[in-house]
Amino acid sequence: MKRPALILLLAILAATASAENPPTMRVDYYHSGNFELELFSLHRVVREPLPFPGNLQQPIDRTLRGKYAFEIVEPESGRVAWSRSFSSIYGEWETTGEAREMNRTFHESVRFPLQDAPFDLVVRKRDARNHFAEVWRSRIDPGDYLVHEESAAFASDVVPIVNNGDPAIKVDLLILGDGYTVDEIDTFHARARELADALFSVSPFRERRNDFNVWAMAPVAAQSGVSRPSTGTYRESPFGATYDAFRSERYVLTYDNDTMRRIVSSAPYDFIEILTNTDTYGGGGIYGLYSTAAANSDWADYLFIHEFGHHFAGLADEY
């Protein structure tokens, strides 16, 4: 992106970022185990470069639609200052046959407003009675000098698609492009606009368009496309999206949460959808994590909206 465009983008981000919202804090951790054993271990604590994009007037998640939930708990009083429910790749993997044969580790993250004092990060999981039971607790000190401060290193890749105002009171959807070479970036931006328009052409998104911001970013890939191992196709794409997730031919996921979070912290976002620069039908959606869709498929509009429903609302509609 040329310098004048970058300056304009940074001005937009500054204008739309809430002056009242605190910075965003992120805790990265490893989630390991098998079908009967589950372990968590802290990777790092991060202060992201942008203000927290969420609505501070809704600190407690009352919907609890995910398999897991996390809480920010004041150690002395036990008061829950923030909570959100979510699902994860690990949560799906542990139900597969592979989880009965081996251990695996997945990288995960939770994000929330920066806290002023040490707190307990508590992760809960649905038990056999469908109640949330504690599975991990870690004391976090936001003032520790080991808290990593990220810079907005990828801000020049962020392009506003729909800008309806302050991220603190809007739903911020970040559309990522994976597998786009330098000559294909304009194609990605055009496709992101088309698919955003498709999303807002259907209910209930049509009626709530003004409640959304949409951003797009696609770090340049060395090769066009993403991996599809079952056909011998392998790509080192920026976000590592791949077909054949869990050996399901059309299931598209990325396991590289670490890289993805480092890149996307340069943009305001509540929800993420990854567009793969591919023609073959495929996609995926995990509640509170991200969704994916093959951008060049004849079914791309449907894929984009359908998979976003899984990610955005935990919809269980399948075909």
Side-chain angles (χ1 to χ4, degrees), residues 17 27-28 39 70 72 93 133 208 226 234 244 246 261 284 312:
V27 174
D28 296 334
L39 298 171
F70 79 89
I72 303 304
W93 174 79
R208 304 303 293 268
V226 303
Y234 301 93
D244 300 297
F246 300 157
R261 296 293 180 178
F312 179 73

Side-chain angles (χ1 to χ4, degrees), residues 20-99:
E20 298 180 359
N21 269 21
T24 302
M25 174 160 275
R26 188 179 80 241
V27 174
D28 296 334
Y29 59 92
Y30 297 103
H31 194 168
S32 306
N34 54 47
F35 81 104
E36 60 182 1
L37 173 68
E38 192 166 6
L39 298 171
F40 297 80
S41 55
L42 180 67
H43 174 207
R44 65 186 169 197
V45 183
V46 177
R47 178 171 171 159
E48 294 188 353
L50 298 182
F52 186 70
N55 185 354
L56 298 185
Q57 303 306 309
Q58 300 290 336
I60 305 302
D61 186 351
R62 306 295 183 188
T63 63
L64 297 176
R65 297 186 61 80
K67 186 172 184 175
Y68 294 87
F70 79 89
E71 299 172 344
I72 303 304
V73 179
E74 294 181 357
E76 301 268 336
S77 67
R79 185 182 75 88
V80 177
W82 189 269
S83 70
R84 289 293 183 267
S85 117
F86 64 96
S87 294
S88 66
I89 295 174
Y90 180 94
E92 288 194 15
W93 174 79
E94 70 174 358
T95 68
T96 67
E98 185 179 82

Side-chain angles (χ1 to χ4, degrees), residues 31-314:
H31 194 168
S32 306
N34 54 47
F35 81 104
E36 60 182 1
L37 173 68
E38 192 166 6
L39 298 171
F40 297 80
S41 55
L42 180 67
H43 174 207
R44 65 186 169 197
V45 183
V46 177
R47 178 171 171 159
E48 294 188 353
L50 298 182
F52 186 70
N55 185 354
L56 298 185
Q57 303 306 309
Q58 300 290 336
I60 305 302
D61 186 351
R62 306 295 183 188
T63 63
L64 297 176
R65 297 186 61 80
K67 186 172 184 175
Y68 294 87
F70 79 89
E71 299 172 344
I72 303 304
V73 179
E74 294 181 357
E76 301 268 336
S77 67
R79 185 182 75 88
V80 177
W82 189 269
S83 70
R84 289 293 183 267
S85 117
F86 64 96
S87 294
S88 66
I89 295 174
Y90 180 94
E92 288 194 15
W93 174 79
E94 70 174 358
T95 68
T96 67
E98 185 179 82
R100 293 182 171 272
E101 301 172 355
M102 62 183 294
N103 299 331
R104 287 195 67 175
T105 296
F106 296 86
H107 191 273
E108 298 176 0
S109 303
V110 292
R111 300 167 72 236
F112 46 90
L114 179 70
Q115 303 297 296
D116 296 328
F119 59 90
D120 286 346
L121 169 64
V122 178
V123 175
R124 300 185 184 277
K125 181 183 182 181
R126 293 186 188 275
D127 61 20
R129 299 173 300 163
N130 210 29
H131 297 159
F132 281 98
E134 182 175 324
V135 290
W136 184 46
R137 180 180 293 253
S138 181
R139 180 66 54 86
I140 306 292
D141 181 0
D144 193 325
Y145 64 83
L146 292 180
V147 172
H148 178 64
E149 295 196 8
E150 286 182 341
S151 64
F154 294 86
S156 61
D157 293 306
V158 182
V159 173
I161 300 295
V162 176
N163 183 15
N164 283 317
D166 184 356
I169 57 173
K170 302 296 179 181
V171 177
D172 286 271
L173 168 59
L174 176 59
I175 301 177
L176 302 179
D178 203 21
Y180 288 85
T181 65
V182 65
D183 295 329
E184 297 171 320
I185 297 299
D186 288 344
T187 299
F188 161 70
H189 290 151
R191 198 71 185 110
R193 289 187 174 90
E194 291 169 355
L195 291 173
D197 287 342
L199 178 69
F200 294 122
S201 71
V202 299
S203 294
F205 303 107
R206 177 173 56 233
E207 293 80 9
R208 304 303 293 268
R209 181 186 178 104
N210 291 338
D211 293 323
F212 281 77
N213 293 328
V214 181
W215 312 85
M217 67 184 304
V220 173
Q223 293 178 286
S224 183
V226 303
S227 294
R228 192 178 173 204
S230 59
T231 64
T233 302
Y234 301 93
R235 296 285 186 269
E236 295 291 338
S237 59
F239 294 108
T242 178
Y243 287 79
D244 300 297
F246 300 157
R247 299 184 183 273
S248 179
E249 183 181 6
R250 303 301 175 91
Y251 196 12
V252 179
L253 295 176
T254 175
Y255 301 116
D256 194 358
N257 179 73
D258 189 5
T259 297
M260 183 184 76
R261 296 293 180 178
R262 179 173 53 85
I263 294 174
V264 300
S265 69
S266 294
Y269 72 94
D270 298 300
F271 299 93
I272 294 170
E273 181 138 10
I274 302 171
L275 298 184
T276 59
N277 187 19
T278 54
D279 301 327
T280 301
Y281 184 100
I286 297 177
Y287 177 62
L289 181 59
Y290 59 72
S291 51
T292 67
N296 310 325
S297 164
D298 292 340
W299 290 80
D301 287 13
Y302 168 78
L303 279 167
F304 186 90
I305 297 165
H306 172 81
E307 302 298 355
F308 185 65
H310 292 316
H311 170 37
F312 179 73

